[in-house]
Amino acid sequence: MLVGYGVVGRGVAKVLNLKQSSFIKKGVKFKIVAMCEKDGSIFDPNGLSLKELDNFKKHRSFTTETALKLIPEIEADILIEVTPTNIINGEPGYSHIVSALKSGKHVVTSNKGPLALYYNKLMHIAEKHDRKLLFEATVCSSTPVFSLVRKTLQPNDILSIVGILNGTTNYILTKMHEEDISFDTALREACEMGYAEANASYDVDAIDPAAKLVILANALMGMKIKFADVKKTGIREITPEAVELAKSRNRVIKLVGEVSDSTVEVSPRLVPASHPLNVGGTLNALMFRLDLAHDLYIVGRGAGQIETASAIISDMLDICGCL
Amino acid sequence: MLVGYGVVGRGVAKVLNLKQSSFIKKGVKFKIVAMCEKDGSIFDPNGLSLKELDNFKKHRSFTTETALKLIPEIEADILIEVTPTNIINGEPGYSHIVSALKSGKHVVTSNKGPLALYYNKLMHIAEKHDRKLLFEATVCSSTPVFSLVRKTLQPNDILSIVGILNGTTNYILTKMHEEDISFDTALREACEMGYAEANASYDVDAIDPAAKLVILANALMGMKIKFADVKKTGIREITPEAVELAKSRNRVIKLVGEVSDSTVEVSPRLVPASHPLNVGGTLNALMFRLDLAHDLYIVGRGAGQIETASAIISDMLDICGCL
C-alpha cells in the first residue's frame, strides 16, 4: 500500500506501471492495493490502476479515513511511506511506519524525518516484528548508498563517509561559482527551477543534509547519533568574494557532510577543483573511506521523481528476494 | 580452495586471516583447505594457516600434483581462481573453472581471460551444475560493478556503460597531462612504480580494458560479444603535443571504453576537465546510463592486493548468503 501521493508516490505508481513486465520477468508482480493521501484513501485488493490513482477522489472506494486508520486494516505485504519529511517530530511518517511494522508489513520509505529522529527505535520495532524497514531513497535518491555498502562492500569496515548530500545547495553553489552571482540570486533560480524544497531552510541551513548524515552514521557505521548531535552550518553567509577567492586557488566551495569517529558535521568546505567530490549542478557525491577498498566514490542524481522511484522499487525488489 | 598464490592469492589469504572474526560475526567461517601453485599444491581439511601457505613447499602435504588434478578431488565449497589472465586461450583458468563447476564447487575469480573469451559458455556450465560463478574482481578490482548493478540497481535497464577501465594507462595519461612528458617516459615510470602489468602491451594496447568491456557487456547488458568484436585503439601514439592541445581546450585525453547497442570500443577520447570521468592516477571510473536512475558514476581503485581481495571476499560472502 502507498501512503503519500505527491511527486514521489506518483513516480512509484508510474514506474510500477511502466516496467510491470520487467518485474514479472524477475518473478514479482506488484499491485498497489491501497493509497492514502491527506484528503482521503482508496483501496482495491485486485490492484489500483494509474488512472484510478490519479483520479482517486472519484474512485468507488473513496473514503476520508486516514492512513493511520487503514494501515492495520489493509492486507498488504509492503507499506510505501512517501509523505513529506518533518524533522521536528517525524510525523505523520513515524506513526505510519510503526503501525505498518506492528501489523506485519515491511516498510519502504523515502521519508527522512522518522529515520533521522528515531533510527534505532524503528529498527528495534522492525526486528521485533521480523519485518524489513528499508530506506535507500532517503539519501541520494536513486544513487545506491545503503545497499551499496551492505550488499557490495560486505568485507569492508567504513572509516568515514564524506559527501555532497544536498542537490539544491550544490546547484546554488555551482551557479555562484560559474556565474559569479550572489547567494540570493542563485537561491531564487533554484526555486524557479523547482530544485528548492518547500521550505528552503531545510536545504540552505543544512537541515536536510544533516538528517541524511544521521541516517548514514546510524545505518552504516553502527552509531547512535541524534539529529541534534550534528554540527550544522548552512550556506547563507557565502559571498561571491569567498567563491572568487576559492576559485583563484583552484578550489570550489561545497556544502560537505562528514561522519567519522571524531566528526559529525555539515558545513561549507573548500574542495580541490580536481577532486572527485567536486560535482556540479544538482548531483550528489559520496566518498566512503574503507579499510580494504580504500576510497570509493559514488556520484549520481540526488533527486527526481523517477530517480527516487528507482530507489524505492529497488528496496521493494529486495524485500521480494530479488537482489 | 585457492588456485594461484601470487599477489592476489596472497591478498585473499591475508584478509581472510586478518578479518576472520568479522566474518564469523556475519555467520561465516572461511577455511582455505587447499592451495595450488605452478610448483605444487598443499592441502589440509582443517584449514591452512597463512604461515603454512607462505611456506607451502615445506608443508607436510606438499605434492607436485597440479590444480587440474586436485580440483575434482578436494572437498571444498568454493574455488578461488586467481591465476594470471591469458587472453589467447584463457588457460589455465578456463579449465580450472570448468573442472570446479563440474565437481560441484562455486567459483570466484579475478581472472579476466576465461570470462572475456567464454562468458556465455561458462555461465551455461555454472547454471547446468547449479553453481555460482562470480567475478567482481575482474573489473575495477574493489570497486563494485557487477554487484552494484545486480543488487542495488535492479529496477533499471542499462543503456550504456562508459569508463576508464585500466589504471596503468590512466596513470600514464595523468603523468603526461600533469608533467608534459612523453609516453615512453611515463610508461617507464609506471613500470618502476609497479603499475604496469607483466606484459605492458595488455595495458597500453587496450587489451586489458577491452577484455573488461566484453565481460561488462555480456554480464550486465545480456550481450553476446566476443573479445575480437571490440574495436581497440591503445595510447602508444599519443604525443605530448596532443595532450597539450587538449589541455588548452580544458580537456584531458583518457583511454575510454564504451559499450552500448551501437558501440563496443576502447579508444583514447577527449573528456572535459570537469567531467566525473576525469579521474587521476590509477583510479578507475565507470558511468552507467540507466533508464530510471539516469547517469550514475562509481570511482575507485582499479587494482591493489587488498582491494582485489575485497572484491573476491565480497563474492565469497555472497555465495554464503551474506549479502
Side-chain angles (χ1 to χ4, degrees):
Chain A
M1 71 182 292
L2 181 59
V3 174
Y5 203 62
V7 174
V8 176
R10 272 193 202 101
V12 172
K14 221 188 267 184
V15 176
L16 286 180
N17 181 57
L18 191 75
K19 301 198 71 164
Q20 181 75 271
S21 63
S22 125
F23 302 140
I24 288 174
K25 263 189 222 156
K26 291 183 197 289
V28 187
K29 190 167 183 333
F30 291 116
K31 277 189 303 186
I32 298 176
V33 294
M35 188 279 280
C36 309
E37 245 299 316
K38 273 197 305 286
D39 318 337
S41 308
I42 59 173
F43 45 90
D44 183 341
N46 296 315
L48 295 157
S49 72
L50 201 52
K51 210 171 152 188
E52 289 174 307
L53 289 165
D54 283 340
N55 303 288
F56 72 97
K57 285 186 188 168
K58 294 180 189 148
H59 195 266
R60 60 187 178 283
S61 71
F62 181 80
T63 154
T64 53
E65 300 276 23
T66 62
L68 212 49
K69 174 88 192 318
L70 286 177
I71 288 170
E73 292 174 7
I74 297 283
E75 268 190 53
D77 299 315
I78 305 176
L79 169 77
I80 304 166
E81 215 294 334
V82 288
T83 64
T85 290
N86 164 348
I87 202 66
I88 308 299
N89 62 11
E91 293 297 357
Y94 177 76
S95 296
H96 293 161
I97 295 173
V98 171
S99 169
L101 293 171
K102 287 189 174 171
S103 61
K105 293 170 184 67
H106 301 287
V107 175
V108 174
T109 187
S110 61
N111 189 338
K112 293 176 282 287
L115 288 153
L117 294 171
Y118 308 112
Y119 182 84
N120 289 299
K121 206 163 155 185
L122 286 170
M123 284 303 140
H124 180 74
I125 299 172
E127 207 173 309
K128 199 174 139 195
H129 293 272
D130 197 20
R131 296 293 92 177
K132 279 193 180 187
L133 165 53
L134 299 178
F135 44 87
E136 187 57 66
T138 56
V139 178
C140 298
S141 171
S142 58
T143 308
V145 174
F146 302 103
S147 52
L148 176 79
V149 172
R150 290 172 172 170
K151 299 185 196 169
T152 81
L153 296 164
Q154 323 95 308
N156 288 269
D157 288 310
I158 299 179
L159 310 177
S160 69
I161 305 175
V162 181
I164 316 282
L165 293 163
N166 180 274
T168 309
T169 46
N170 204 45
Y171 178 84
I172 293 171
L173 292 171
T174 304
K175 279 279 162 183
M176 289 178 73
H177 184 88
E178 286 175 355
E179 300 175 11
D180 302 321
I181 55 178
S182 71
F183 167 76
D184 290 324
T185 310
L187 171 60
R188 212 172 310 127
E189 248 185 72
C191 289
E192 280 163 17
M193 297 287 288
Y195 293 147
E197 297 218 345
N199 179 358
S201 169
Y202 265 43
D203 299 314
V204 301
D205 296 324
I207 294 167
D208 170 82
K212 292 168 178 167
L213 204 62
V214 173
I215 306 176
L216 287 169
N218 291 344
L220 295 180
M221 296 175 75
M223 292 184 164
K224 298 203 168 183
I225 284 173
K226 294 202 168 69
F227 181 68
D229 299 336
V230 186
K231 207 175 143 193
K232 309 169 200 69
T233 312
I235 63 165
R236 285 186 201 273
E237 309 297 324
I238 293 174
T239 61
E241 291 70 32
V243 172
E244 200 49 48
L245 186 64
K247 209 191 285 189
S248 72
R249 294 181 182 178
N250 211 17
R251 284 175 159 64
V252 290
I253 300 180
K254 292 286 181 194
L255 183 61
V256 174
E258 174 172 358
V259 55
S260 69
D261 272 352
S262 55
T263 310
V264 194
E265 180 174 355
V266 183
S267 59
R269 290 200 199 172
L270 289 172
V271 174
S274 61
H275 196 276
L277 285 182
N278 176 20
V279 296
T282 59
L283 286 178
N284 281 194
L286 276 183
M287 175 178 86
F288 295 93
R289 190 150 283 169
L290 304 151
D291 63 340
L292 304 177
H294 296 103
D295 291 355
L296 182 83
Y297 302 86
I298 190 150
V299 177
R301 300 214 183 165
Q305 182 180 50
I306 301 303
E307 290 83 349
T308 307
S310 170
I312 288 171
I313 298 171
S314 171
D315 281 345
M316 292 166 65
L317 287 166
D318 181 314
I319 287 169
C320 301
C322 301
L323 299 169
Chain B
M1 72 183 291
L2 181 60
V3 173
Y5 203 62
V7 174
V8 176
R10 271 192 204 103
V12 172
K14 222 188 266 184
V15 176
L16 287 179
N17 181 58
L18 191 74
K19 301 199 70 165
Q20 182 74 272
S21 62
S22 125
F23 303 139
I24 288 175
K25 264 191 221 156
K26 291 183 196 290
V28 187
K29 189 167 185 331
F30 291 116
K31 278 188 304 185
I32 298 176
V33 294
M35 189 279 280
C36 309
E37 246 298 317
K38 275 197 306 286
D39 317 338
S41 307
I42 59 173
F43 44 90
D44 182 342
N46 296 315
L48 295 157
S49 71
L50 201 53
K51 209 169 154 190
E52 288 174 310
L53 289 164
D54 283 339
N55 301 289
F56 71 97
K57 286 186 186 166
K58 293 181 190 147
H59 194 265
R60 61 188 175 282
S61 70
F62 182 80
T63 153
T64 53
E65 300 276 21
T66 63
L68 212 49
K69 175 85 193 321
L70 286 178
I71 288 170
E73 292 175 7
I74 296 284
E75 268 191 53
D77 299 314
I78 305 175
L79 170 76
I80 303 166
E81 215 294 335
V82 288
T83 64
T85 290
N86 164 349
I87 203 65
I88 308 302
N89 62 11
E91 294 295 359
Y94 177 77
S95 296
H96 293 162
I97 294 173
V98 171
S99 168
L101 293 171
K102 288 190 175 170
S103 62
K105 293 169 185 66
H106 301 287
V107 175
V108 174
T109 186
S110 61
N111 190 338
K112 294 178 281 289
L115 288 152
L117 295 171
Y118 309 111
Y119 181 84
N120 289 299
K121 206 163 155 185
L122 285 171
M123 284 304 141
H124 179 75
I125 298 172
E127 207 173 309
K128 199 174 138 194
H129 293 272
D130 196 21
R131 296 292 93 177
K132 281 194 178 183
L133 165 53
L134 298 178
F135 44 86
E136 187 57 69
T138 56
V139 179
C140 297
S141 172
S142 58
T143 308
V145 174
F146 302 104
S147 52
L148 176 79
V149 172
R150 291 171 172 171
K151 298 185 196 169
T152 81
L153 297 163
Q154 322 96 308
N156 288 270
D157 288 311
I158 299 179
L159 310 177
S160 69
I161 305 175
V162 181
I164 316 281
L165 294 162
N166 181 274
T168 308
T169 48
N170 204 45
Y171 178 85
I172 292 171
L173 292 171
T174 304
K175 279 278 162 184
M176 289 177 74
H177 184 87
E178 287 175 355
E179 300 176 11
D180 302 321
I181 55 177
S182 72
F183 167 77
D184 289 325
T185 310
L187 171 60
R188 213 173 310 127
E189 247 184 70
C191 290
E192 280 163 16
M193 297 287 289
Y195 293 147
E197 297 217 345
N199 179 357
S201 169
Y202 266 42
D203 299 313
V204 301
D205 296 323
I207 295 167
D208 169 82
K212 292 169 177 167
L213 204 63
V214 173
I215 306 176
L216 287 170
N218 292 343
L220 296 180
M221 298 176 72
M223 293 184 162
K224 298 202 168 182
I225 285 171
K226 294 202 167 69
F227 180 69
D229 299 335
V230 187
K231 208 176 143 192
K232 306 169 201 70
T233 312
I235 62 164
R236 283 186 201 275
E237 309 298 323
I238 294 175
T239 61
E241 291 71 32
V243 172
E244 198 51 46
L245 187 62
K247 209 190 286 188
S248 72
R249 295 181 180 179
N250 211 17
R251 283 176 160 65
V252 289
I253 300 178
K254 293 286 179 193
L255 184 61
V256 174
E258 174 172 359
V259 58
S260 69
D261 272 353
S262 55
T263 310
V264 193
E265 181 176 354
V266 182
S267 59
R269 289 200 199 172
L270 289 173
V271 174
S274 61
H275 196 277
L277 283 182
N278 177 19
V279 294
T282 59
L283 284 177
N284 281 195
L286 275 184
M287 175 177 84
F288 296 93
R289 191 152 281 170
L290 304 152
D291 63 341
L292 304 177
H294 296 103
D295 292 354
L296 181 83
Y297 302 86
I298 190 152
V299 176
R301 300 213 182 165
Q305 183 181 50
I306 300 303
E307 290 83 350
T308 306
S310 170
I312 288 171
I313 296 171
S314 171
D315 281 345
M316 292 166 65
L317 287 166
D318 182 314
I319 287 169
C320 300
C322 301
L323 298 169

